[in-house]
Amino acid sequence: MIKDLRLKFIAVSMISMMLVLAVIVGTIHIFNYRNVREEADELLAFLQSQGGAFPESRENHFFDDQSPELAFRTRFFSVTIDEDGSVLQADIRNISAVDEENAIDYARDIAESGKKSGFLGQYRYLASAIEGGTRVIFLDCYQELTIFYSFLFSSLLISFGGLLAVLVLLIIFSGRVVRPVEESYEKQRRFITDAGHEIKTPLTIISADASILEMDYGENEWLNDIHAQTERLRGLTDDLIYLSRMEEQKDSLTMQELSISEVIMDTAHSFQGPARVQKKEFSCEVAQQMSCRGDEKSIRQLLNILLENAMKYSPEGGTISLQAAPQGKNIRIVITNDTVEPVAKESLDHLFDRFYRAEESRNSQTGGYGIGLAIARAIVTAHKGKIYATSENGHSLSVTVVL
């Protein structure tokens, strides 16, 4: 339990860290990419307004916030196409990486696509209608894109390294964080185990004294009540000790391959008689030749707990069903009570809590003390399975076990 709590703490912390880093890094690079695109579009729009070339005069307001070397370090080319698709002009004077044939092919690809702006490889382009045709200007953004992708790769690499460092620190310090909880849980578990063993001795003495009184005075309702309550308290004590040991998981179960089909059928068969006596309908559908790795004794106890609960809370004439079948690599067992009293949805998540009672009056009538399903969950958890309760219409209750 404490180990699971620690793992959940580490997982939640790492997921939170990853989300925060993803938002920060993603936001930074979205803004960087937008800046690259906007600066390129601004320059393309200026070139388009100047007929596809830088003006000889630098008195234009565009150069007020620009480097004086802008015209000399900018690599671009333009192609003018008429309405019939014929090339009117191809200007490649300001670039050496593209020849005239490639420039024309690029321009025709843009004209066929019908797009006005965008990226074609490392080139940002802008297509504008002019008198007699369309001019497409291409701006070489290789340097800007290289810087952008280099920064993106570096930031991702640093973020990954940071996440690894955080993971190592969490593994180291999470033990200290959960240590008080672990100590408290260990004290609670030890108290339950020790108190349970201490209670057994006076219970045995009380039961023996009641038997002696019964021999001297004969049977009467008071002595019978003492015997009944002593047995009930002994059963509760045994269940608490068993639950404590199961949750501790130090007493390892005897895991071995077993025919779970036979275990289920054998356990279910023992409930056919009581169901008939109590005038309840009990059906059982179990797939044959199913096997799993588990502890046979604890799985039998699991099935007994679930079937006893189904019988206990089903009225006369009620319907109970048990279904077991493969589900992928797992085995799915469903025990359904179709005639149970109304169960609130908010109660379903708490049915497996220790000492939880959905209805006090019903539990007092049936004699339960709200620990059986907690033991069932502990058994399933020890087998690394899942157990949960559902109610389709509020008047039925299905407990599903996946092993």
Side-chain angles (χ1 to χ4, degrees):
M1 179 180 178
I2 300 300
K3 183 180 179 181
D4 292 340
L5 178 64
R6 184 182 178 186
L7 291 176
K8 288 179 181 179
F9 172 74
I10 293 175
V12 169
S13 300
M14 290 301 299
I15 291 173
S16 301
M17 187 72 179
M18 289 175 62
L19 290 176
V20 171
L21 276 177
V23 171
I24 293 175
V25 173
T27 302
I28 290 174
H29 290 293
I30 287 173
F31 277 108
N32 282 344
Y33 183 79
R34 192 175 69 175
N35 287 337
V36 171
R37 189 182 61 189
E38 289 179 351
E39 289 178 2
D41 288 344
E42 184 180 359
L43 183 54
L44 284 169
F46 174 73
L47 291 172
Q48 193 69 264
S49 67
Q50 300 298 317
F54 280 104
E56 295 182 2
S57 172
R58 298 293 183 266
E59 296 179 356
N60 193 293
H61 291 295
F62 177 80
F63 293 98
D64 292 346
D65 300 325
Q66 302 293 337
S67 168
E69 304 297 325
L70 177 65
F72 300 98
R73 61 182 175 82
T74 301
R75 296 290 174 260
F76 67 96
F77 61 95
S78 65
V79 178
T80 304
I81 304 175
D82 63 14
E83 296 178 354
D84 296 329
S86 301
V87 177
L88 301 177
Q89 181 185 13
D91 185 358
I92 58 171
R93 292 173 298 171
N94 295 284
I95 194 167
S96 60
V98 178
D99 57 24
E100 184 173 332
E101 183 180 353
N102 288 334
I104 293 173
D105 289 339
Y106 290 159
R108 283 176 174 168
D109 289 341
I110 300 304
E112 291 176 1
S113 69
K115 296 179 180 179
K116 298 299 181 182
S117 65
F119 273 103
L120 183 64
Q122 68 190 46
Y123 301 107
R124 183 75 178 175
Y125 64 85
L126 177 65
S128 301
I130 60 173
E131 185 177 354
T134 301
R135 180 189 293 124
V136 185
I137 302 178
F138 295 86
L139 180 65
D140 186 359
C141 297
Y142 176 78
Q143 185 176 3
E144 291 79 2
L145 290 175
T146 299
I147 294 173
F148 169 77
Y149 287 119
S150 177
F151 180 54
L152 174 62
F153 177 76
S154 300
S155 61
L156 290 176
L157 189 63
I158 293 172
S159 298
F160 181 73
L163 285 173
L164 285 179
V166 171
L167 177 60
V168 172
L169 292 173
L170 282 173
I171 293 174
I172 294 173
F173 292 110
S174 61
R176 298 183 182 181
V177 173
V178 302
R179 188 170 299 163
V181 180
E182 184 177 9
E183 291 175 354
S184 176
Y185 179 78
E186 178 62 23
K187 290 177 181 178
Q188 178 190 19
R189 187 202 62 79
R190 192 179 304 159
F191 169 78
I192 292 174
T193 304
D194 294 345
H197 287 298
E198 291 297 327
I199 290 173
K200 281 186 175 183
T201 301
L203 286 178
T204 303
I205 296 173
I206 292 172
S207 181
D209 291 345
S211 297
I212 293 173
L213 288 174
E214 194 173 48
M215 292 171 60
D216 291 340
Y217 299 100
E219 290 188 12
N220 60 66
E221 59 176 314
W222 310 114
L223 292 176
N224 290 336
D225 189 52
I226 291 174
H227 280 299
Q229 296 304 320
T230 302
E231 288 302 315
R232 187 168 185 266
L233 188 54
R234 182 181 284 113
L236 173 59
T237 303
D238 291 339
D239 286 345
L240 283 172
I241 294 174
Y242 181 81
L243 179 59
S244 180
R245 288 177 176 173
M246 287 294 299
E247 291 180 344
E248 182 186 9
Q249 293 185 359
K250 289 183 180 178
D251 297 333
S252 57
L253 299 175
T254 305
M255 296 293 186
Q256 58 185 4
E257 289 294 326
L258 57 91
S259 173
I260 194 167
S261 295
E262 294 182 5
V263 172
I264 296 172
M265 289 297 296
D266 185 46
T267 307
H269 181 72
S270 63
F271 283 87
Q272 295 287 354
R276 190 176 297 109
V277 171
Q278 298 175 26
K279 299 180 180 179
K280 299 175 183 180
E281 183 180 345
F282 178 42
S283 61
C284 184
E285 298 179 12
V286 181
Q288 299 300 311
Q289 298 182 344
M290 291 190 302
S291 63
C292 73
R293 186 171 181 81
D295 180 71
E296 182 176 345
K297 182 179 178 181
S298 61
I299 289 179
R300 286 183 182 275
Q301 185 173 2
L302 166 68
L303 295 169
N304 277 317
I305 290 172
L306 298 181
L307 288 172
E308 282 177 3
N309 272 274
M311 290 286 184
K312 187 184 296 182
Y313 298 118
S314 176
E316 185 175 323
T319 302
I320 301 160
S321 65
L322 186 154
Q323 296 176 324
Q327 187 182 51
K329 295 182 179 181
N330 301 321
I331 295 172
R332 186 169 180 264
I333 305 169
V334 183
I335 297 176
T336 303
N337 187 342
D338 290 330
T339 50
V340 73
E341 294 182 14
V343 180
K345 290 185 178 180
E346 56 269 17
S347 298
L348 295 177
D349 294 334
H350 300 286
L351 287 179
F352 303 97
D353 292 347
R354 201 180 298 182
F355 298 114
Y356 179 76
R357 293 171 180 264
E359 293 182 26
E360 291 291 339
S361 60
R362 189 176 69 178
N363 279 277
S364 62
Q365 292 172 1
T366 57
Y369 33 74
I371 201 172
L373 291 179
I375 294 176
R377 181 174 63 179
I379 294 173
V380 174
T381 302
H383 284 79
K384 299 180 180 179
K386 296 180 181 178
I387 184 170
Y388 55 92
T390 56
S391 180
E392 293 184 0
N393 52 18
H395 292 276
S396 66
L397 181 65
S398 296
V399 177
T400 302
V401 175
V402 180
L403 297 174

